């Protein structure tokens, strides 16, 4: 089987014309003529860099790039100029994406070592700069190769050096790069779980993965098996899981970064429907294979826990991952069934394909009742309606509290993972009225994401600040793009880690 693609990131101070890697990537802003900083390097290439500018083949527009071959044996054999767009439009995400795209090019041409040097506007924090470049390198390098006999591109380790322009920046950049590596490794861990099929990852094997993670990073781990779920009265998780031969689980991990208190700064809840066939309200065949990604919320929560533990954040975080497989079977839950949830509230099932909310509601009310956290954030591939509303560009953000919306939006901007705030107040709750139970599990086609969020809100109440992030549109990509390989994206992992640093 193929070796895993990994990257070994370091930060170094070097003059561009002395770099000897197989590929040198230079990120430059848009200019009409060659930037002066490149003249020494240009001489090594026999004037080819200047020629590219003079011929107007490249000017540094965003996402534009040109590969220049270098005959000089004492410096890098290839130079990739990567456009960063207009200097005035700069955001940290520009160089994060440029680094990701650069390492994917390096992989393509099978370069064993790459040096990356990015221009940034004056005053940019060197630590933040190195952090985002390292993130781009690590998530850009990731590919799900586990089931391939021979993947394309370069196998195994790729060496990447982030080049400091200024020697005085080295310490700060090394610190930032370390943070970036750990955050993106958390993201990649989430992707590596999400990419596995429903045949491999079911509630039981996912729980085993979580236990392994907890052991590796010294976190507490408690798994509620089906018997324990019955004892606890977690009717929602049990109902969704009852049609599958793999019994449902509730996974709980605890990271205690504060000595003085046990109160969680944050409880994370992630939907892990290890495969969503729709249940008796079965989905059409076309596209059903993508429902292996219906566990992405839970995988993200595990990825965040890995990042938090490896960064040794001084925060307390508890993870709750309800895991079930939604399958059609003689024993499946049915439309018309009335389910008693952990909260005591009853739910009339009108569609067995609206299963995510049925497992999340038990975990959410468990968090409120037993953990008394300062805040709760859940993440879930919850509704197709969210993809209709926001496409595949942004995640939906819903909340019972404005401060948590502000904090998450700030974190999302820093992480380069866009979210969009949508409502979940009373009119949406009213759509969920039932004649025979406290509520029903669907609210009709209109505002499908908002009614799903209003359903969850019912189980959290108004006292604990809570946010729900619908990642249905962003959790996986069908084909590889500039910055990422096809499959799970781990979208929202970096945002939550940023949020935790600042909360
Ligand atoms: N897991 C799906 C949502 C989903 C759809 C995620 C497409 C990613 C891509 C969820 O469980 C679901 O089936 N939702 C239904 C809800 C409906 C029955 C009210 C949907 O969106 O169609
Ligand atoms: Mn479903
Ligand atoms: Zn689902």
């Amino acid at each position: 089987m193929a070796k895993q693609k990994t990257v070994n990131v370091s930060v170094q101070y070097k003059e561009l014309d002395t770099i000897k890697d197989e590929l040198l990537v230079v990120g430059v802003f848009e200019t009409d003529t060659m930037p002066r900083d490149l003249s020494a390097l240009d001489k090594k290439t026999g004037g080819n860099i200047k020629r590219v500018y003079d011929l107007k083949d490249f000017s540094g527009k965003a996402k534009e790039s040109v590969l220049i071959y270098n005959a000089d044996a004492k410096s890098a054999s290839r130079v990739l100029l990567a456009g960063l767009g207009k200097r005035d439009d700069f955001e940290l995400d520009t160089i994060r994406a440029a680094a990701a795209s650069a390492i994917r090019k390096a992989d393509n041409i099978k370069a064993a070592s790459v040096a990356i040097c990015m221009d940034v506007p004056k005053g940019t924090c060197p630590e933040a700069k190195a952090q985002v470049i390292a993130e781009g390198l690590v998530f850009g390098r990731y590919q799900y190769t586990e089931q391939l006999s021979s993947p394309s591109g370069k196998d195994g380790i790729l060496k990447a050096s982030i080049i400091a322009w200024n020697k005085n920046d080295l310490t700060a950049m090394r610190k930032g790069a370390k943070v970036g590596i750990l955050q993106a490794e958390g993201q990649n861990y989430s992707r590596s779980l999400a990419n596995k099929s429903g045949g491999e990852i079911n509630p039981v094997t996912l729980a085993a993965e979580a236990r392994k993670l907890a052991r590796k990073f010294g976190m507490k781990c408690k798994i509620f098996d089906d018997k324990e779920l019955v004892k606890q009265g977690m009717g929602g998780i049990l109902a969704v899981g009852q049609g599958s031969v793999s019994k449902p689980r509730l996974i709980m991990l605890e990271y205690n970064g504060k000595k003085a208190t046990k109160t969680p700064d944050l409880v994370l809840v992630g939907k892990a429907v290890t495969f969503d066939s729709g249940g008796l309200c079965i989905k059409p065949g076309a596209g059903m294979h993508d429902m292996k990604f219906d566990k992405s919320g839970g995988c993200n929560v595990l990825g965040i826990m890995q990042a938090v533990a490896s960064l040794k954040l001084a925060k307390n975080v508890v993870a709750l991952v309800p895991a079930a497989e939604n399958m059609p079977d003689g024993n499946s839950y049915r439309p018309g069934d009335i389910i008693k949830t952990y909260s005591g509230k009853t739910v009339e099932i009108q569609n067995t394909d609206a299963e995510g909310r049925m497992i999340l509601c038990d975990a959410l009310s468990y968090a409120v009742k037993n953990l008394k956290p300062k805040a709760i954030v859940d993440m879930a591939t919850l509704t197709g309606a969210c993809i209709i509303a926001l496409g595949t560009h942004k995640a939906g953000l819903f909340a019972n509290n404005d401060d948590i919306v502000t904090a998450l939006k700030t974190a999302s901007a820093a992480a380069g993972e866009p979210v969009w705030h949508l409502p979940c107040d009373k009119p949406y709750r009213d759509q969920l009225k039932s004649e025979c139970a406290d509520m029903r599990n669907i609210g009709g086609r209109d505002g499908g994401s908002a009614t799903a969020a209003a359903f969850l809100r019912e189980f959290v109440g108004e006292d604990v600040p809570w946010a729900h992030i619908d990642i249905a549109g962003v959790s996986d990509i069908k084909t590889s793009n500039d910055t990422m390989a096809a499959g799970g994206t781990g979208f929202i992992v970096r945002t939550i880690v940023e949020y935790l640093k600042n909360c």
Side-chain angles (χ1 to χ4, degrees):
M1 274 303 143
K3 274 190 224 148
Q4 216 172 326
K5 295 191 177 198
T6 56
V7 60
N8 193 336
V9 180
S10 67
V11 183
Q12 286 169 38
Y13 172 73
K14 272 184 192 164
E15 298 288 342
L16 290 189
D17 56 324
T18 66
I19 288 169
K20 293 196 187 70
D21 291 285
E22 292 182 13
L23 177 68
L24 166 60
V25 180
V26 188
V28 289
F29 289 110
E30 198 174 329
T31 47
D32 291 335
T33 53
M34 184 183 77
R36 263 205 311 262
D37 299 338
L38 299 187
S39 23
L41 181 63
D42 178 49
K43 288 211 180 76
K44 296 274 180 170
T45 68
N48 277 336
I49 296 182
K50 184 159 183 306
R51 192 159 300 135
V52 161
Y53 276 93
D54 289 348
L55 289 170
K56 306 284 173 214
D57 281 8
F58 176 86
S59 62
K61 287 195 180 65
K63 292 188 182 163
E64 192 184 20
S65 71
V66 62
L67 188 61
I68 295 158
Y69 289 88
N70 191 354
D72 185 284
K74 290 205 189 77
S75 58
S77 35
R78 308 170 187 91
V79 177
L80 180 78
L81 296 180
L84 301 178
K86 294 208 162 59
R87 193 177 286 266
D88 290 343
D89 297 342
F90 176 81
E91 296 175 344
L92 281 170
D93 198 49
T94 310
I95 53 174
R96 186 190 277 120
S101 141
I103 196 135
R104 293 178 57 70
K105 286 225 175 71
D107 176 272
N108 244 320
I109 58 176
K110 298 195 175 172
S113 74
V114 52
I116 315 252
C117 185
M118 297 281 178
D119 197 4
V120 289
K122 264 205 188 80
T124 303
C125 163
E127 196 173 330
K129 170 183 172 175
Q131 182 191 319
V132 297
I133 294 174
E135 285 175 6
L137 292 172
V138 173
F139 74 70
R141 178 71 180 137
Y142 174 84
Q143 198 192 327
Y144 176 54
T145 56
E146 283 166 47
Q147 310 283 350
L148 292 174
S149 318
S150 55
S152 61
K154 197 192 168 322
D155 246 4
I157 304 174
L158 208 159
K159 209 175 115 252
S161 328
I162 302 172
I163 304 299
W165 287 108
N166 187 333
K167 211 169 188 168
N168 299 330
D169 290 347
L170 259 181
T171 314
M173 284 184 73
R174 289 202 166 121
K175 202 170 148 203
K178 196 167 171 204
V179 171
I181 291 167
L182 295 177
Q183 293 194 181
E185 280 178 352
Q187 176 182 2
N188 285 352
Y189 173 63
S190 167
R191 296 163 80 191
S192 72
L193 290 175
N195 283 330
K196 291 192 169 75
S197 76
E200 208 176 335
I201 293 286
N202 56 50
V204 178
T205 56
L206 184 65
E209 291 289 339
R211 197 182 285 288
K212 220 161 59 184
L213 177 75
R215 218 169 267 148
K216 187 165 166 197
F217 289 94
M219 293 185 273
K220 266 196 223 147
C221 173
K222 184 172 158 116
I223 311 288
F224 296 64
D225 64 11
D226 39 313
K227 280 194 202 113
E228 179 69 20
L229 292 172
V230 172
K231 212 160 106 190
Q232 295 276 348
M234 298 204 163
I237 301 177
L238 285 162
V240 175
Q242 77 192 32
S244 170
V245 292
S246 310
K247 293 298 157 218
R249 295 286 183 266
L250 174 64
I251 300 162
M252 178 154 90
L253 296 186
E254 273 182 73
Y255 170 77
N256 205 220
K258 283 179 174 168
K259 297 277 159 309
T261 164
K262 286 229 133 179
T263 305
D265 295 292
L266 183 64
V267 170
L268 292 164
V269 177
K271 168 180 173 181
V273 171
T274 57
F275 185 70
D276 182 13
S277 70
L280 290 179
C281 306
I282 197 163
K283 288 178 183 294
M288 199 200 270
H289 57 275
D290 279 333
M291 283 301 124
K292 72 171 184 177
F293 292 115
D294 212 23
K295 60 185 180 304
S296 299
C299 298
N300 281 349
V301 165
L302 297 180
I304 295 162
M305 293 306 277
Q306 170 175 312
V308 165
S310 60
L311 287 162
K312 302 192 170 69
L313 288 193
K315 297 282 153 72
N316 293 341
V317 189
V318 178
L320 287 175
V321 178
E325 188 182 37
N326 190 20
M327 294 295 250
D329 179 78
N331 194 41
S332 294
Y333 79 137
R334 313 155 188 79
D337 281 359
I338 295 175
I339 306 300
K340 188 163 181 191
T341 62
Y342 178 75
S343 66
K345 291 190 169 97
T346 55
V347 180
E348 178 195 357
I349 302 303
Q350 287 202 331
N351 192 320
T352 62
D353 199 10
E355 83 298 336
R357 60 199 77 181
M358 295 308 299
I359 67 170
L360 290 168
C361 68
D362 282 350
L364 289 169
S365 30
Y366 182 89
V368 174
K369 184 173 171 217
N370 304 302
L371 305 173
K372 306 255 173 337
K374 290 191 196 153
I376 302 175
V377 175
D378 79 68
M379 54 205 76
T381 48
L382 201 62
T383 64
C386 192
I387 315 177
I388 304 297
L390 301 174
T392 55
H393 313 292
K394 292 183 163 90
L397 171 63
F398 306 80
N400 65 358
N401 172 290
D402 287 339
D403 292 339
I404 199 167
V405 170
T406 308
L408 282 167
K409 275 190 178 168
T410 306
S412 133
E417 295 170 329
V419 297
W420 196 258
H421 186 200
L422 294 165
C424 59
D425 51 338
K426 182 144 184 311
Y428 302 99
R429 166 66 181 89
D430 289 345
Q431 284 179 243
L432 296 164
K433 280 186 181 146
S434 162
E435 300 289 342
C436 56
D438 296 333
M439 57 206 295
R440 48 189 185 132
N441 77 331
I442 56 171
R445 265 172 59 84
D446 299 349
S449 305
T451 52
F455 180 97
L456 300 180
R457 183 171 181 167
E458 193 68 21
F459 294 86
V460 178
E462 303 302 312
D463 297 339
V464 185
W466 156 82
H468 154 63
I469 305 175
D470 194 330
I471 53 171
V474 294
S475 64
D476 58 278
I477 49 174
K478 311 283 167 254
T479 49
S480 302
N481 62 28
D482 266 5
T483 60
M484 255 197 229
T489 59
F491 190 111
I492 224 63
V493 169
R494 299 196 313 263
T495 296
I496 303 300
V497 178
E498 288 293 341
Y499 167 89
L500 273 165
K501 286 193 214 156
N502 302 322
C503 79

